Amino acid sequence: MRSAHVVSVVREAEQALMARLPEGALMRRAAMGLAIHCARMLPRVHGSRVTLLVGGGDNGGDALFAGASLAARGACVRAVLAGRRVHPEGLAALRAAGGRMIDNGPAAASGAPGAQRNFGTHGEGGAPRALITAEARAAVLDADLLVDGLVGIGGSGGLREPYASLAVLASDAPAAVVAVDLPSGVDADTGEVPGEAVRADATVTFGTYKPGLFVDPGAVRAGRVSLVDIGLDPELPEADLVRPQAVDIARLLPVPSAEDDKYRRGVLAVRAGSDQYRGAAVLCVGGALRTGVGMVRYGGGEDVLSQVIARWPEVVGLHLDPRSSTDLGPGRVSAVVVGPGRGTHPANADELRALLESDVPVLLDADALNLVSSSVALTELVHRRGAPTLLTPHAGELARLLPDTDRAEIEAHRLEQATRAAKLYRSTVLLKGSTTVIAHPGERTVVNPTGTPLLATAGSGDVLSGVAGALLASGLSGQDAAMCGAYLHGRAAVLAREGAPISASDLLDALPLAVAEVTTGRPPGRA
């Protein structure tokens, strides 16, 4: 697992570590790691042009000390000073190594001869918000590498000027950008971006990952993220947020043994699809089968059932009109998936009520979520369930599940809203989207690393329901089933067509490849 900690925890850990170290030692550790990563991003260090964007805090100090190291190796290093203050020891180190200073603080920018206005970024009434000196602008635009040391993990509420203008200029510049700890303008705890923010090609973070590096929109601005060990681990408590790796998924995935039979591997009941949305049933059932569930018991209307059996003859089918029957079907059932394409007729609520009153794990998706959001009685049933319950909404569905919340609010505050929903419904919540967030009451939040825009296609959520449902039926907890399901779903999307556009049906053939990749540790096709 890659672990992330919120700012307050990081600050406390840093203070404890610094109390045992010589003054300035922690910053120098961070700066050395930063300098090494910067050097790797350059074709050669000697003669390269490196421009540091330097704020007034420790983040700027890290950049200055790293710049001093690069200057000592022959790089032409210029530091654009954006604030009223500057880290004095870092500035002295850079000067001693031969680096140059360019003052672009508020006073310099507003009165310097040749100052350039803010290149299209305007405030109220179209008035320019800030000034950037011509010298600072030239240093940014002709650099081989830009180092973003404007604002560190303590920044919040959006970038002020001239930081905001420098962030825009750096993001549009031709040089690669490496961010110090996290891109300036990104909230370290949430990934939220309340205004302008640097868009980095790489981020070098220190001691531990920060949640904002894993969650969009912050994650997409961080680029490739590298962690520098500065000795913080012994001071850190359990992570606030984790991002699993393939090895973590492999440890959780059920592996059939010689003693297993189809019942031990899990029996999943699927209540998906309707005359209007027959494909939802086919995709959901396929997702479960291709993930390795022991048996699928499908119940649905006659036409949908025949289509499911035609595509998946191994399914045990039950003619069950959801508008007139709430039967779970004969035989043992380990878990149930309900909702994809099922409909929101009042009689569908009767089926859902019966499932929620059962003692088996239940995954609620799509129409099942819409029914819950419109019924106090169903909501109360979810609250009172003793068996695991997994909700898999997209942002619009979650907005309906949460009072006084709209989709934009969900998208802007994904961590907060997923955690809020998990507590409110006393369930595991898998919030689908650009960053899939998995929250469970009292547990650390999980973010999925395999998300891809390829999954933004009709029916992909139906497949995910089947995948996660199969894992739930195998005996995994709601949170582990959601985490493993999301990971495999994302990998299948990439493997299906080697990164080319896909349809949801393509995921079905790629799921076994994703499972094999995770369990063997090798890309598909390699011995």
Side-chain angles (χ1 to χ4, degrees):
M1 295 281 187
R2 289 187 173 177
S3 298
H5 294 81
V6 298
V7 172
S8 60
V9 170
V10 173
R11 292 297 194 208
E12 187 174 342
E14 287 176 342
Q15 291 299 320
L17 181 57
M18 284 190 291
R20 303 197 308 272
L21 295 175
E23 185 176 355
L26 195 62
M27 178 173 287
R28 290 184 181 276
R29 287 181 184 178
M32 181 56 65
L34 174 62
I36 290 170
H37 282 278
C38 289
R40 290 172 180 165
M41 293 181 68
L42 292 165
R44 54 183 173 77
V45 175
H46 192 277
S48 293
R49 297 162 297 179
V50 178
T51 297
L52 317 175
L53 304 180
V54 180
D58 288 347
N59 194 256
D62 295 332
L64 289 166
F65 276 117
S69 177
L70 296 171
R73 294 177 59 183
C76 172
V77 181
R78 294 164 291 183
V80 175
L81 309 181
R84 291 183 172 86
R85 298 181 298 109
V86 65
H87 193 279
E89 293 82 7
L91 186 63
L94 182 60
R95 280 177 168 157
R100 288 182 51 223
M101 314 302 137
I102 300 171
D103 188 2
N104 198 88
S110 62
Q116 299 288 318
R117 293 198 180 275
N118 190 34
F119 314 114
T121 304
H122 293 78
E124 294 182 6
R129 279 198 321 218
L131 301 170
I132 296 178
T133 67
E135 188 179 12
R137 180 177 186 270
V140 171
L141 295 181
D142 72 354
D144 298 310
L145 181 69
L146 294 171
V147 180
D148 165 31
L150 290 171
V151 177
I153 61 175
S156 61
L159 295 178
R160 299 172 178 83
E161 294 297 354
Y163 295 83
S165 293
L166 287 170
V168 172
L169 184 61
S171 298
D172 292 340
V177 179
V178 57
V180 181
D181 222 3
L182 84 163
S184 296
V186 172
D187 188 293
D189 285 349
T190 66
E192 296 167 15
V193 179
E196 303 292 357
V198 169
R199 187 174 293 271
D201 297 283
T203 296
V204 179
T205 197
F206 309 122
T208 181
Y209 295 97
K210 285 71 186 179
L213 295 172
F214 290 162
V215 181
D216 282 336
V220 74
R221 286 165 170 77
R224 185 181 69 256
V225 180
S226 301
L227 177 66
V228 171
D229 182 2
I230 57 174
L232 209 58
D233 274 355
E235 312 298 337
L236 290 169
E238 184 176 343
D240 299 289
L241 179 146
V242 294
R243 189 168 75 163
Q245 305 303 296
V247 65
D248 304 307
I249 305 302
R251 291 192 188 106
L252 291 170
L253 286 182
V255 178
S257 68
E259 294 79 21
D260 278 352
D261 59 26
K262 59 191 175 187
Y263 295 107
R264 288 179 180 172
R265 293 183 65 188
V267 179
L268 180 67
V270 173
R271 299 294 179 262
S274 60
D275 287 342
Q276 186 175 4
Y277 298 109
R278 301 178 190 181
V282 174
L283 292 169
C284 184
V285 168
L289 290 170
R290 290 296 170 84
T291 305
V293 72
M295 180 191 297
V296 171
R297 295 186 183 277
Y298 176 76
E302 185 174 358
D303 290 341
V304 185
L305 175 60
S306 62
Q307 193 160 335
V308 169
I309 297 297
R311 179 65 177 85
W312 307 109
E314 57 268 55
V315 166
V316 176
L318 174 67
H319 180 203
L320 187 155
D321 186 342
R323 292 172 295 180
S324 61
S325 174
T326 59
D327 186 8
L328 276 176
R332 287 181 272 177
V333 170
S334 309
V336 182
V337 171
V338 58
R342 197 61 163 177
T344 56
H345 188 278
N348 289 113
D350 295 332
E351 177 184 56
L352 180 56
R353 183 177 298 107
L355 297 174
L356 292 174
E357 288 174 345
S358 74
D359 59 358
V360 298
V362 175
L363 184 153
L364 307 181
D365 186 32
D367 286 333
L369 297 172
N370 294 329
L371 286 169
V372 169
S373 67
S374 61
S375 168
V376 173
L378 291 175
T379 297
E380 286 300 317
L381 277 177
V382 174
H383 289 172
R384 295 199 304 266
R385 293 201 87 232
T389 309
L390 171 56
L391 315 182
T392 60
H394 56 58
E397 290 162 343
L398 189 61
R400 290 190 285 275
L401 287 166
L402 292 174
D404 304 319
T405 308
D406 60 23
R407 182 172 189 140
E409 179 73 7
I410 301 294
E411 295 286 16
H413 309 286
R414 299 183 66 79
L415 281 178
E416 175 189 345
Q417 299 299 343
T419 302
R420 176 187 169 202
K423 290 179 180 177
L424 180 62
Y425 285 91
R426 298 178 57 200
S427 303
T428 302
V429 172
L430 184 158
L431 174 58
K432 297 178 283 195
S434 58
T435 301
T436 293
V437 177
I438 300 159
H440 185 83
E443 299 291 336
R444 57 192 182 179
T445 305
V446 178
V447 295
N448 177 49
T450 64
T452 166
L454 295 171
L455 289 169
T457 185
S460 68
D462 303 330
V463 176
L464 175 60
S465 292
V467 174
L471 296 169
L472 202 59
S474 76
L476 267 60
S477 69
Q479 188 177 39
D480 287 345
M483 179 174 72
C484 294
Y487 190 99
L488 294 174
H489 191 239
R491 285 302 301 149
V494 174
L495 296 172
R497 299 284 181 184
E498 298 181 338
I502 61 169
S503 69
S505 297
D506 292 323
L507 294 170
L508 301 177
D509 289 334
L511 278 167
L513 301 179
V515 173
E517 178 187 72
V518 167
T519 53
T520 65
R522 297 188 299 270
R526 289 193 182 179

